[in-house]
Amino acid sequence: MAFLLGFNYWSTAGYMARQTDATIHAEIRGLAEQYRRRGLAGLTAVIAERLRRDPGGAALYLLVDGTGQRLVGNLNRWPPDSVAPTGWINFRVSDPIGVGSSEPARAMAARAMVFRLHGDLRLLVGRDVRELTAVRNLMLDALWSGLTITAALALLGGWLISASVVRRLEAVNQVSREIMEGDLSRRVPTDASGDEFDQLAANLNRMLARIEQLMTSVREVSNNIAHDLRTPLTRLRAKLELLVQDQLPPGARAEAEEAVADAEELLATFNALLRIARIESGSRRAAFSRFNLADSARDLAELYEPLAAEREQRLEIQAPAELWLVGDRDLLFQAGANLVDNAMKYTPAGGLILLSASEQGGSVRLTVADSGPGIAPEWREKVCERFFRLDDSRSSPGSGLGLSLVRAVAELHGATLILSDNTPGGNAPGLKVSIVMATAAG
């Protein structure tokens, strides 16, 4: 747009300037012919005749002698401006002689060529270029107005495009956050415009649909395996328990009892897998209700205090009278039980296990802290994965699904699971695990 306006100005103003110069050249050729044929008297007569016939015209003439005295012409005096080597001069002059007007004289722009004749005579032939200047100024005003409007439209268009891009990117980010929180059914919105963003959203949605399909297939296969194996394992454990009750030699009885324990461990593993699968499916959200987490924490402490006492451990509880939130009470109780069970497993005799429920900054925290060996920072994410166990833990009972279930419960509630040192810098830093959830209003 700016280039088009600039080109229009250059071509139009240039054409008018060339036309003015061509007119002056034509005047000069005519006067030169008269001077050659009729001499100075003829030249003076021609100029006087032209001025008489067109007193208010745009033509400018001035013939002066060697002292600068005007011999003929419609200018009072010789222009003070310097003449270019090409003979052209641009100057400003008041209204020419013969242009009668009641208004005060106005300075006007003029352009002329200067010649030196015999006997120090000088001749100026030019044109009034006020119209050309006015047209130039008008076109410059139009050019600047066009540039201003173009810049304003460009800024407005840029802002609208930027806002649209930011809005559509935010929609993609929002969907990404919801998918990372476990809702694989979310899709990027489209507006049927068919533009690049729409095509990108369509491709992302196809990819997400494929991922959801694969995840569902894997989850169904795992669930089906766990479900199908649980029934024969239950029958196997029942048969082994009947076998233990029979009259068996001492060695055979011990082996039968170990087989029962192994079957129970396998059943516990499959039950944990199925429970995690049900939690991750999100179906438990329908059971969310408002409940007092502080009461659940006290019930949990009351349940585990006898067992801690048997292990010569201290289990303490810190919780206010009321701490309300919206969630699945049973699942959060199970998650807390897993954390307390883990803490008791790794806390030495005489150690302390602190179970606390608190509210801080609009969030509710359920925390279990122990005085055990703790977990190195580089392993804190891995220990939440299914079946992952640290080398030091492989000699102790467990399937490696406890923290996986806790993380699944936390993700179901939109909570954050935080693992940290209980006493940073200590020889036995202990482990502090917190489930941070949003509090319930009212």
Side-chain angles (χ1 to χ4, degrees):
M1 183 68 179
F3 175 78
L4 181 61
L5 290 173
F7 177 77
N8 186 37
Y9 167 78
W10 175 81
S11 60
T12 303
Y15 173 76
M16 294 183 69
R18 288 191 295 275
Q19 285 295 103
T20 299
D21 290 353
T23 302
I24 294 174
H25 276 297
E27 292 264 9
I28 291 171
R29 283 195 297 273
L31 293 175
E33 179 64 22
Q34 293 295 329
Y35 180 67
R36 187 168 52 254
R37 291 170 53 192
R38 300 167 59 186
L40 180 60
L43 175 63
T44 304
V46 169
I47 293 175
E49 177 61 19
R50 291 185 178 180
L51 291 176
R52 186 186 64 79
R53 287 187 300 181
D54 188 15
L60 298 175
Y61 304 99
L62 182 59
L63 177 63
V64 297
D65 58 16
T67 62
Q69 183 66 35
R70 180 169 67 89
L71 301 179
V72 68
N74 56 353
L75 297 179
N76 285 322
R77 58 186 177 85
W78 194 263
D81 304 83
S82 59
V83 180
T86 56
W88 288 101
I89 179 173
N90 295 297
F91 60 99
R92 298 187 69 80
V93 65
S94 299
D95 287 340
I97 297 172
V99 180
S101 174
S102 59
E103 298 179 357
R106 299 164 298 168
M108 66 179 188
R111 178 174 172 80
M113 285 202 78
V114 176
F115 296 91
R116 185 174 295 277
L117 305 178
H118 294 294
D120 292 334
L121 295 175
R122 290 181 294 169
L123 174 62
L124 180 147
V125 180
R127 304 289 293 184
D128 170 8
V129 294
R130 281 180 296 181
E131 292 184 0
L132 174 60
T133 304
V135 170
R136 280 179 170 171
N137 291 336
L138 182 62
M139 295 191 69
L140 281 174
D141 290 342
L143 176 62
W144 286 116
S145 299
L147 289 175
T148 303
I149 295 173
T150 301
L153 291 176
L155 290 174
L156 178 62
W159 180 80
L160 291 175
I161 293 174
S162 175
S164 175
V165 170
V166 169
R167 176 176 54 80
R168 303 189 73 170
L169 287 177
E170 177 55 28
V172 175
N173 287 330
Q174 177 63 29
V175 170
S176 301
R177 286 191 290 269
E178 293 175 356
I179 290 175
M180 285 189 291
E181 290 173 357
D183 188 0
L184 292 178
S185 65
R186 294 288 295 119
R187 295 293 181 269
V188 180
T190 58
D191 57 7
S193 63
D195 59 8
E196 286 75 8
F197 273 103
D198 226 33
Q199 295 176 23
L200 176 62
N203 290 333
L204 289 175
N205 287 339
R206 283 194 289 271
M207 180 184 70
L208 292 172
R210 180 61 176 160
I211 292 174
E212 183 184 20
Q213 180 185 10
L214 293 174
M215 292 293 293
T216 302
S217 299
V218 172
R219 187 180 296 116
E220 287 179 351
V221 169
S222 301
N223 295 345
N224 291 337
I225 291 174
H227 186 270
D228 292 344
L229 289 179
R230 187 172 60 173
T231 301
L233 278 173
T234 302
R235 289 199 298 266
L236 176 62
R237 185 187 61 178
K239 292 176 181 178
L240 289 173
E241 287 175 345
L242 291 175
L243 185 62
V244 170
Q245 295 173 5
D246 292 341
Q247 297 296 326
L248 294 175
R253 176 182 292 276
E255 292 180 357
E257 290 175 346
E258 290 179 0
V260 171
D262 291 341
E264 289 179 345
E265 187 174 345
L266 284 172
L267 279 171
T269 299
F270 283 119
N271 287 333
L273 281 173
L274 290 172
R275 192 161 196 179
I276 291 173
R278 285 196 294 270
I279 294 171
E280 290 180 340
S281 68
S283 59
R284 295 296 295 263
R285 287 194 180 91
F288 278 17
S289 61
R290 191 167 180 269
F291 71 97
N292 187 358
L293 182 66
D295 286 344
S296 297
R298 281 187 283 272
D299 292 342
L300 189 61
E302 185 177 353
L303 176 66
Y304 276 91
E305 275 177 351
L307 184 58
E310 288 181 7
R311 298 187 177 196
E312 299 179 352
Q313 299 166 337
R314 288 183 296 134
L315 176 60
E316 297 182 0
I317 172 73
Q318 292 179 353
E322 294 183 347
L323 197 56
W324 295 94
L325 60 80
V326 175
D328 189 313
R329 183 184 185 283
D330 294 339
L331 286 181
L332 285 172
F333 188 89
Q334 179 62 61
N338 281 17
L339 294 179
V340 174
D341 190 64
N342 271 352
M344 293 176 61
K345 190 181 299 180
Y346 299 108
T347 300
L352 172 65
I353 300 166
L354 177 61
L355 172 62
S356 63
S358 61
E359 182 177 3
Q360 182 179 4
S363 299
V364 172
R365 285 175 176 260
L366 177 64
T367 301
V368 176
D370 62 55
S371 55
I375 297 177
E378 61 270 23
W379 297 113
R380 289 172 187 167
E381 181 63 26
K382 296 290 291 183
V383 296
C384 294
E385 296 178 359
R386 297 183 188 184
F387 300 111
F388 181 86
R389 304 188 69 193
L390 296 173
D391 291 338
D392 297 340
S393 306
R394 294 193 177 281
S395 58
S396 59
S399 59
L401 293 172
L403 285 176
S404 299
L405 188 142
V406 174
R407 185 167 69 174
V409 172
E411 290 176 349
L412 179 70
H413 288 78
T416 304
L417 183 64
I418 302 174
L419 279 68
S420 59
D421 288 339
N422 185 30
T423 55
N427 293 330
L431 180 65
K432 182 166 68 175
V433 184
S434 298
I435 303 174
V436 184
M437 300 162 281
T439 184

